[in-house]
Amino acid sequence: MNSLRSRRSVLAATLASAALALSACGGGSAPAQSGGDTSLSDVKSKGELVIATEGTYRPFSFHADGAGELTGFDVEIAQAVAGKLGVKATFQETQFDGIFAGLESKRFDTIANQISINDERKAKYEFSTPYTISTGVVVTKADNSSINSFADLKGKTTAQSLTSNFYKMAVEAGANVQAVEGWAQSATLVQQGRVDATVNDKLTYLDYAKNTPDSGLKVAAEAPEKTESAMVFRKGTTELTAAVDKALADLQADGTLAKISEKYFGADVTK
């Protein structure tokens, strides 16, 4: 009888210990299974913000002198943001056609590559507050006084890439369009007087004007609609997005964004 009681006592103690161990394991694993947004803590714990950018998109993301250090407007903005977060900025150069897939597969934490905000993208991704604001502009020779608005393009000839949104803007304004491959060819045709104008992005013009001060061109008109570009994050990474928003606000307030913008465009395009 004593032997049976002893065996039962040992069995009971063993079961109690097992139950206690299972209970302890369950309690310890609950926080890990609770889900939640760890996007900011993940970045802080690894000490780096991994950022996707093309690296071939001057003046936003490119290599100085062709093979030098990665630099550019977007690169410096992202570096400043990472600094505010207290982590290192690590860049992964990625072709544009794979940049969103890479974000979704968690190859990087964010994209800084002049990604414009639109409804389709907002449905799939988180966006920071915009750090670039631009518009479509009409560029003419500096001495042209006949074009002062988009309406004045009616019956005039513009040079446009046929695959761009600016081609549509020129056509909708009533312009006759001469097809070109890009901005450089458009600018040359306007300078030579072979076309009356070209419609393009204001940032493209500002970059060109800063690097070609004697171009003889001017902005004759500006569209009222604005294009906003921002850093992009996976859906649900709200804590990291909010931290980046605060960083951008601080960088706007202390003049850092304006300083970087002036360096690349000769104007503040961040607000």
Side-chain angles (χ1 to χ4, degrees):
M1 182 69 70
N2 288 339
S3 177
L4 180 60
R5 285 176 181 168
S6 296
R7 286 198 298 272
R8 285 177 177 174
S9 297
V10 170
L11 179 59
T14 302
L15 290 173
S17 297
L20 184 61
L22 286 171
S23 175
C25 290
S29 63
Q33 295 173 352
S34 64
D37 178 16
T38 62
S39 55
L40 179 58
S41 61
D42 289 345
V43 166
K44 293 275 193 178
S45 65
K46 68 185 177 182
E48 64 177 356
L49 181 67
V50 183
I51 306 146
T53 195
E54 284 183 89
T56 57
Y57 187 17
R58 185 183 295 267
F60 304 104
S61 167
F62 64 99
H63 287 271
D65 302 319
E69 184 180 355
L70 182 69
T71 187
F73 176 72
D74 285 51
V75 171
E76 290 200 26
I77 295 287
Q79 288 171 330
V81 166
K84 286 290 184 182
L85 296 180
V87 298
K88 174 187 175 183
T90 300
F91 294 93
Q92 285 196 13
E93 295 178 46
T94 306
Q95 292 184 349
F96 188 78
D97 59 6
I99 209 164
F100 288 101
L103 179 66
E104 292 167 0
S105 64
K106 300 184 179 182
R107 284 177 48 209
F108 25 80
D109 303 306
T110 185
I111 302 170
N113 197 75
Q114 282 302 293
I115 304 298
S116 57
I117 303 171
N118 59 39
D119 290 340
E120 182 181 355
R121 287 173 178 166
K122 284 172 69 175
K124 297 179 180 179
Y125 306 101
E126 307 280 357
F127 280 88
S128 71
T129 52
Y131 63 86
T132 315
I133 313 294
S134 190
T135 60
V137 293
V138 178
V139 177
T140 67
K141 290 184 70 172
D143 60 0
N144 186 317
S145 60
S146 66
I147 299 175
N148 300 291
S149 68
F150 274 79
D152 291 336
L153 290 177
K154 187 173 183 178
K156 301 291 197 304
T157 301
T158 70
Q160 308 295 151
S161 168
L162 300 185
T163 59
S164 75
N165 288 334
F166 303 110
Y167 162 74
K168 296 177 183 178
M169 292 176 71
V171 170
E172 288 171 357
N176 301 311
V177 173
Q178 180 172 328
V180 294
E181 292 183 1
W183 162 258
Q185 190 177 357
S186 298
T188 298
L189 292 179
V190 175
Q191 289 166 334
Q192 294 173 345
R194 295 167 60 187
V195 298
D196 300 299
T198 184
V199 181
N200 213 297
D201 187 85
K202 186 177 182 180
L203 297 180
T204 300
Y205 170 78
L206 288 174
D207 173 54
Y208 177 79
K210 187 176 186 302
N211 292 289
T212 317
D214 299 322
S215 67
L217 301 180
K218 69 174 183 180
V219 171
E222 191 167 339
E225 299 82 8
K226 294 181 179 180
T227 300
E228 298 178 328
S229 297
M231 296 178 73
V232 190
F233 306 85
R234 287 182 294 279
K235 270 293 183 185
T237 58
T238 53
E239 289 192 6
L240 179 58
T241 305
V244 168
D245 283 348
K246 184 180 184 306
L248 287 168
D250 291 345
L251 293 166
Q252 186 74 263
D254 67 18
T256 301
L257 295 188
K259 183 179 179 180
I260 295 172
S261 183
E262 289 283 349
K263 174 181 176 179
Y264 287 97
F265 301 106
D268 187 0
V269 301
T270 66
K271 60 182 180 182

